[in-house]
Amino acid sequence: MSQADLLDQDPVFQLKGSMLAITVMELAHNDLERLDRQLTAKVAQAPNFFQNTPLVLALDKLPLGEGALELPALMDVCRRHGLRTLAVRASREEDIAAANALDLPVLPPSGAREKPLDPVEGAPRKPEKPAEPEFRPSKVITTPIRGGQQVYAQGGDLIVLAPVSAGAELLADGNIHVYAPMRGRALAGIKGNAQARIFCQQLAAELVSVAGQYKVAEDLRRDPLWGRAVQVSLSGDVLNITRL
């Protein structure tokens, strides 16, 4: 076998799974002017949160009878506010066709099950792995979490026994416990667990979120419990902050 043949067999890529924090914008109305105004207000509250943020546009909850959606114009509104559209979630044929015309991936509607993907057509399927347990042991961090670091507790709680610096990000499918000052961002119940909570010894966060509902520092600083030991919970669509 020649050197060229050996070189040709050397793989030049590798497919890997990844858990990335991607924002989903679920549109309730086809009203781009109102969306532009409301995004402007949101960006003013948390400008750092809207800087080149990866975005999935969810169009599957749009009501009928509000006219055809102009997907390029919608993406332009999002782009002006720092939201970068990676994919579209859609069920209507016209929305899927518009996404295909822009070469955007189309994700299944909310609640739909994704089909398994076989990268090599005709290749024998591997036996399916046993289902992973819904909850995993808590992830415990004993060292400080510095700015730029991201820590994710998949399938369980995240427990931090050291300070969390500004610019750091805590993510958990379950609860988040911080037994030290908590700066940076803390996002609990990121897969939709509305029962998740955030507990911290000293609230000084840039953002707190439970199941997608969030408050930013501008809101948190106005709370009388800023800087104190608190818990953050979700009631309907409202985040509640109470003293520990």
Side-chain angles (χ1 to χ4, degrees):
M1 185 177 292
S2 68
Q3 184 176 359
D5 291 332
L6 290 173
L7 184 62
D8 191 56
Q9 292 182 2
D10 185 26
V12 296
F13 72 94
Q14 186 176 21
L15 297 176
K16 293 186 175 182
S18 177
M19 176 60 66
L20 300 175
I22 296 179
T23 300
V24 176
M25 178 188 287
E26 190 173 271
L27 290 183
H29 295 286
N30 181 13
D31 188 337
L32 298 189
E33 291 184 5
R34 187 150 50 117
L35 173 66
D36 192 18
R37 291 196 301 270
Q38 292 180 2
L39 276 176
T40 299
K42 284 290 185 186
V43 172
Q45 292 176 351
N48 293 333
F49 188 70
F50 291 89
Q51 292 183 357
N52 293 319
T53 300
L55 181 73
V56 172
L57 282 173
L59 313 178
D60 50 322
K61 299 297 178 64
L62 280 172
L64 299 175
E66 291 194 353
L69 177 72
E70 293 292 335
L71 184 56
L74 170 60
M75 292 174 58
D76 185 58
V77 170
C78 294
R79 189 181 303 112
R80 292 202 306 268
H81 294 289
L83 300 169
R84 308 297 180 179
T85 304
L86 300 183
V88 168
R89 200 177 77 195
S91 56
R92 296 187 298 192
E93 292 297 329
E94 58 267 30
D95 294 334
I96 294 173
N100 289 335
L102 296 170
D103 201 25
L104 278 176
V106 179
L107 305 181
S110 177
R113 296 184 62 185
E114 296 183 3
K115 296 180 180 179
L117 175 65
D118 194 343
V120 183
E121 186 177 354
R125 292 186 181 275
K126 296 181 180 180
E128 292 187 3
K129 295 181 180 180
E132 295 183 351
E134 183 178 356
F135 295 104
R136 297 182 180 182
S138 298
K139 185 169 188 175
V140 180
I141 304 297
T142 60
T143 56
I145 301 176
R146 294 179 171 81
Q149 286 186 286
Q150 183 187 79
V151 181
Y152 172 45
Q154 184 178 7
D157 293 356
L158 175 61
I159 300 173
V160 181
L161 304 177
V164 179
S165 296
E169 187 171 64
L170 308 179
L171 303 167
D173 292 341
N175 305 308
I176 294 176
H177 305 255
V178 180
Y179 296 99
M182 185 181 75
R183 301 174 180 86
R185 307 198 302 173
L187 297 87
I190 63 171
K191 292 185 178 178
N193 179 8
Q195 304 304 313
R197 299 191 178 202
I198 299 171
F199 305 88
C200 67
Q201 194 173 62
Q202 182 182 330
L203 177 64
E206 298 167 347
L207 177 145
V208 293
S209 169
V210 176
Q213 301 295 326
Y214 66 89
K215 286 187 176 183
V216 295
E218 287 79 359
D219 300 321
L220 297 173
R221 287 194 185 98
R222 289 194 289 265
D223 195 290
L225 295 179
W226 174 260
R228 299 181 180 274
V230 302
Q231 65 169 313
V232 182
S233 60
L234 186 63
S235 177
D237 292 335
V238 178
L239 279 184
N240 296 315
I241 300 177
T242 56
R243 186 189 300 271
L244 278 179

